[in-house]
Amino acid sequence: MNSYKADITLNEKDSLQDMLNLEKSLVKIYSTAITEGCSKGFRTLVKAHWGEATEDQMKVFLQMTEHGYYQVQSAEQTVLSENKNKFMQVKGQLS
């Protein structure tokens, strides 16, 4: 019986997308670990790893934008102002 081997090759865009997804997942996992940890040493260690993961995520993101794999749209100032006002209203209600 022949062994099965998938002939799958990821291109650069797919590889970068996989790396971006992984880094984003790591950031979320480390964030959860920070809030759940009770030891100062543990929290310090996890914060360091969290910081590294956020830096790595940004590096991958920048690579994707440089190669045109990730399109970023600029928001108009009016949209930004509207969203800021909505946030401030909610924040005021919580105070």
Side-chain angles (χ1 to χ4, degrees):
M1 180 177 210
N2 293 336
S3 62
Y4 174 75
K5 179 180 177 185
D7 294 324
I8 299 173
T9 308
L10 294 178
N11 59 30
E12 183 179 58
K13 180 181 179 181
D14 292 336
S15 295
L16 286 170
Q17 185 64 56
D18 282 351
M19 287 191 292
L20 182 64
N21 291 339
L22 173 64
E23 293 301 333
K24 290 168 80 173
S25 293
L26 284 172
V27 169
K28 290 175 188 175
I29 291 167
Y30 286 136
S31 294
T32 300
I34 289 170
T35 60
E36 296 294 326
C38 60
S39 160
K40 184 174 181 172
F42 173 79
R43 288 176 58 94
T44 301
L45 179 65
V46 173
K47 282 181 188 179
H49 288 297
W50 176 85
E52 291 173 13
T54 60
E55 291 297 318
D56 291 342
Q57 181 273 329
M58 182 56 96
K59 289 176 187 175
V60 174
F61 172 76
L62 291 174
Q63 284 290 315
M64 293 185 76
T65 57
E66 287 174 15
H67 287 86
Y69 299 145
Y70 203 110
Q71 302 298 319
V72 179
Q73 296 177 344
S74 298
E76 294 180 17
Q77 189 61 39
T78 55
V79 173
L80 292 174
S81 294
E82 288 173 9
N83 285 315
K84 180 180 176 183
N85 289 337
K86 287 179 187 176
F87 174 77
M88 296 306 286
Q89 288 175 351
V90 170
K91 183 179 175 185
Q93 292 172 355
L94 295 174
S95 299

